[in-house]
Each structure stands twice: as C-alpha cells, then as structure tokens.
Amino acid sequence: MARETVVDSRQEILRTAARLFQQRGYDATSMNDVAAALKLSKGGLYHHFQSKDEILFEIMDHAMEITQERVINPVRSIADPEERLRALIRLHIEVVLSPRDREITVMLHENHPLPPSLRKRINARKKDYIHFLESLLDEVQKQPQRTRYASGHVSPRAAAFALLGMINWIYQWYKPEGELQAQTLIPQFTELVFGGIFA
C-alpha cells in the first residue's frame, strides 16, 4: 500500500510541475513553486525528485510514452499505408490538443534546459518516432498510384520533419474557443499533407 502512495505522489508532482512549466515556463518555475502548489515542504519534494531537471526529464519521458501508446501503437495494426498515415495525423493532432496531457506541450516547448545526458535519452526516443514516420511516408510514396510522381517527390525525411513541425506547432496558436477546432483541423491538415507532400 505504501508503494502505491509513493507512485501516486510522484505522478501528482509530475502533473503539477507540468502545469506550472506550461503556464510559467521552466526557467521561471522553481522547486519552491512546485512544492508550494502541492502543499509539500521542499524536503518532501526532494524526497521524490533530486532536481528540477529530473522532473522535466520524467515529464518528457512520459510525453513520449503517451505518443507511443496513443499514436504509434494504434496505427501499427493498420495494413494500408495511406490509412495508417491518415490515422497517425489524426491521433497526433488529438494528443497535441488534449488539455489533460500537458506533458506534450512541455516536451515541445522546453527541450533546451535538459542536461546533455538526459537530453540525449529523450532525443533518442524522438528520433525513433521520426524514423517510424519517415518509413511510413516512404511506404505511402512507393504505392503504385503515387510512383508517377517519383522524379520530383519530397524526400520522406523532409516530409517527416515538415509534418511534425506543422502538427507540433499547433499548441502555440490553438484556442479551444477559436474558429479552428480539432474536427476541422484534422481533415485540413490531412489534405495539406496529401495535397502537398504527395501532390
């Protein structure tokens, strides 16, 4: 029972820190701020995490877990490459726009402060996703109906970075009450990819 309490406490700390990092920025948020928001002593906070860097790393690592579970794993079972890509675009946009997953926006916005050893571990996971997407885009481009464009097509790597840049930037401008809602964004972004990269 005590072990479950510890796990819950760590998760609560990470959720609270993610919210504060998202609202104020990593640099402007101190360990004291995180402890105060949780009504914990600073010593109590350090019992769970040795540093703010460790908290940030855990948030980013959890963000990659979310991406793995909600984007990559569900699309792996889709046989048709084009349908797999359409599903990936939809699921990735949904994850970026999810109000409960603040870890994603923290990961997208706050990569630079991590110490090199921790940054390397997160970047390795990001690279795995880029390679997955690159392979998928290559598969879509090699479909018979698209081979006639092969002489001038966008490289899968450039296409992967363009697609991720487009989706990952949404959090910067998206407003839940705005004109562009997820249900209209998803088909428009999908059309941009299929009408642009594969045109």
Side-chain angles (χ1 to χ4, degrees):
M1 190 67 189
R3 180 166 169 72
E4 285 178 21
T5 307
V6 170
V7 171
D8 287 345
S9 298
R10 279 179 65 88
Q11 290 308 314
E12 187 58 33
I13 290 167
L14 292 173
R15 274 194 296 271
T16 301
R19 176 174 55 78
L20 293 173
F21 292 169
Q22 184 192 35
Q23 289 169 350
R24 305 177 183 186
Y26 176 82
D27 292 330
T29 305
S30 68
M31 288 290 269
N32 278 336
D33 295 330
V34 177
L38 288 156
K39 297 182 172 57
L40 264 179
S41 68
K42 200 170 175 184
L45 183 57
Y46 278 107
H47 172 73
H48 296 284
F49 295 98
Q50 294 178 354
S51 67
K52 197 167 69 155
D53 287 337
E54 187 190 350
I55 292 176
L56 182 60
F57 170 76
E58 291 288 344
I59 289 169
M60 290 183 172
D61 199 49
H62 187 233
M64 292 310 302
E65 284 300 321
I66 291 168
T67 305
Q68 184 74 42
E69 289 169 15
R70 297 207 205 138
V71 182
I72 299 171
N73 292 349
V75 303
R76 281 190 193 279
S77 60
I78 301 172
D80 179 65
E82 189 166 314
E83 287 310 308
R84 202 180 319 141
L85 180 58
R86 288 178 185 277
L88 182 140
I89 292 167
R90 175 177 57 78
L91 292 170
H92 193 129
I93 290 173
E94 285 173 355
V95 161
V96 169
L97 292 181
S98 169
R100 68 192 173 109
D101 297 317
R102 297 170 193 271
E103 296 91 342
I104 297 290
T105 50
V106 170
M107 180 183 66
L108 295 175
H109 194 69
E110 298 286 0
N111 194 22
H112 64 280
L114 275 180
S117 62
L118 295 178
R119 190 184 315 137
K120 191 175 176 184
R121 287 167 64 187
I122 290 298
N123 285 347
R125 295 195 75 174
K126 288 181 177 179
K127 281 176 189 168
D128 287 344
Y129 184 35
I130 291 164
H131 292 320
F132 177 81
L133 183 53
E134 195 179 337
S135 297
L136 175 52
L137 289 159
D138 186 48
E139 232 183 305
V140 173
Q141 284 180 330
K142 285 178 176 165
Q143 287 189 299
Q145 69 269 32
R146 301 198 183 277
T147 51
R148 65 183 183 276
Y149 300 114
S151 60
H153 76 260
V154 178
S155 79
R157 174 149 289 199
F161 282 121
L163 177 55
L164 289 174
M166 203 166 71
I167 295 175
N168 288 343
W169 195 250
I170 293 172
Y171 84 96
Q172 287 276 13
W173 53 261
Y174 181 78
K175 301 229 176 336
E177 71 283 357
E179 191 179 319
L180 284 170
Q181 294 298 302
Q183 62 268 25
T184 54
L185 263 184
I186 290 166
Q188 288 183 71
F189 271 49
T190 305
E191 180 55 35
L192 278 168
V193 172
F194 281 90
I197 291 170
F198 299 123

